């Protein structure tokens, strides 16, 4: 069974559209994250939830809205998509938050978003 | 400013050769350092974790070292295989930090 699964894996859409990416983890972890990986392969934190509570909210346009219905799910909704939103978005989970414990991140396979 | 710098940015080696990737960090106070491997089209996977008191840790053909005094870590790959072709990302956790600090990664290509 996949530990962290996200859907869809590929998403191609037009500018101005609204889209969602879903993420689920079956590891029993308390913390989930969304990362954005740009064309230079640099991973940048967007959001972090701990037990459904928003912990980290980086300087991300408010067109991006995370939703955590329970601690096993963290979805990402993006409104009014722009060309610059094209990237690979990774969902991740960890048992601990930040420096508490080992902090190992378990990543999903990524969702490649292409905005035309 | 808490930063993690990796070098080289990219590297090509022949199959069977060894290589060493570098990671320098300014994160303070330091908690731990992880090396992740990211295959093309996949999510990163943890290879090793190093805490303050650890100097060396091995995971198969991967050996990580840590010098907490100079704030440097290296990842040594022995007898490289084609499957080692990937990006290697150094990630540092700071004491009291909620966020992890990611390096820019090294792209390794192992050529036959």
């Amino acid at each position: 069974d996949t530990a962290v699964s996200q859907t869809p894996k590929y998403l191609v859409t037009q500018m101005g559209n609204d889209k969602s990416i879903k993420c689920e983890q079956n590891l029993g972890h308390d913390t989930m994250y969304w990362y954005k990986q740009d064309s230079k392969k640099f991973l940048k934190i967007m959001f972090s939830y701990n037990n459904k509570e928003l912990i980290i909210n980086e300087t991300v346009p408010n067109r991006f809205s995370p939703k955590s219905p329970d601690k096993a799910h963290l979805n990402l909704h993006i409104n009014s998509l722009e060309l610059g939103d094209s990237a690979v978005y990774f969902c991740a989970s960890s048992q601990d938050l930040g420096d508490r414990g080992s902090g190992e991140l378990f990543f999903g396979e990524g969702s490649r978003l292409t905005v035309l | 400013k808490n930063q993690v710098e990796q070098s080289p940015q990219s590297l090509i080696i022949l199959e069977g050769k060894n290589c060493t990737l570098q990671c320098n960090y300014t994160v303070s106070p330091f908690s731990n350092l992880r090396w992740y491997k990211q295959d093309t089209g996949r999510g990163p996977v943890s290879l090793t974790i190093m805490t303050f008191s650890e100097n060396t840790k091995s995971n198969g053909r991967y050996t990580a070292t840590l010098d907490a005094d100079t704030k440097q870590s290296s990842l040594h790959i022995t007898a490289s295989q084609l499957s080692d072709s990937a990006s290697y990302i150094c990630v540092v956790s700071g004491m009291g930090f909620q966020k992890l600090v990611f390096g820019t990664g090294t792209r390794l290509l192992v050529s036959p």
Side-chain angles (χ1 to χ4, degrees), chain A residues 37 41 99 104-105 109, chain B residues 34 36 38 42 94 96 107:
Chain A
Q37 188 169 48
K41 302 294 185 182
D99 69 314
E104 179 177 0
L105 291 171
E109 296 291 90
Chain B
R34 282 189 180 272
Y36 285 82
Q38 184 177 17
R42 309 293 295 272
R107 296 188 201 184

Side-chain angles (χ1 to χ4, degrees), chain B residues 20-109:
Chain B
T20 300
L21 313 180
Q22 299 289 345
C23 173
N24 297 335
Y25 62 92
T26 59
V27 178
S28 182
F30 174 81
S31 177
N32 62 65
L33 181 150
R34 282 189 180 272
W35 284 93
Y36 285 82
K37 178 187 179 189
Q38 184 177 17
D39 292 316
T40 300
R42 309 293 295 272
V45 175
S46 178
L47 290 174
T48 65
I49 178 173
M50 307 283 291
T51 58
F52 186 86
S53 58
E54 295 173 309
N55 298 119
T56 305
K57 185 170 283 188
S58 291
N59 178 1
R61 294 179 297 101
Y62 299 101
T63 299
T65 65
L66 175 67
D67 186 333
D69 291 331
T70 61
K71 298 184 178 176
Q72 296 179 324
S73 176
S74 65
L75 181 68
H76 186 74
I77 305 175
T78 305
S80 61
Q81 300 176 358
L82 297 179
S83 60
D84 293 330
S85 296
S87 289
Y88 292 83
I89 305 169
C90 178
V91 182
V92 180
S93 177
M95 289 282 193
F97 287 21
Q98 291 182 332
K99 292 186 295 184
L100 302 171
V101 187
F102 282 72
T104 48
T106 293
R107 296 188 201 184
L108 173 66
L109 176 63

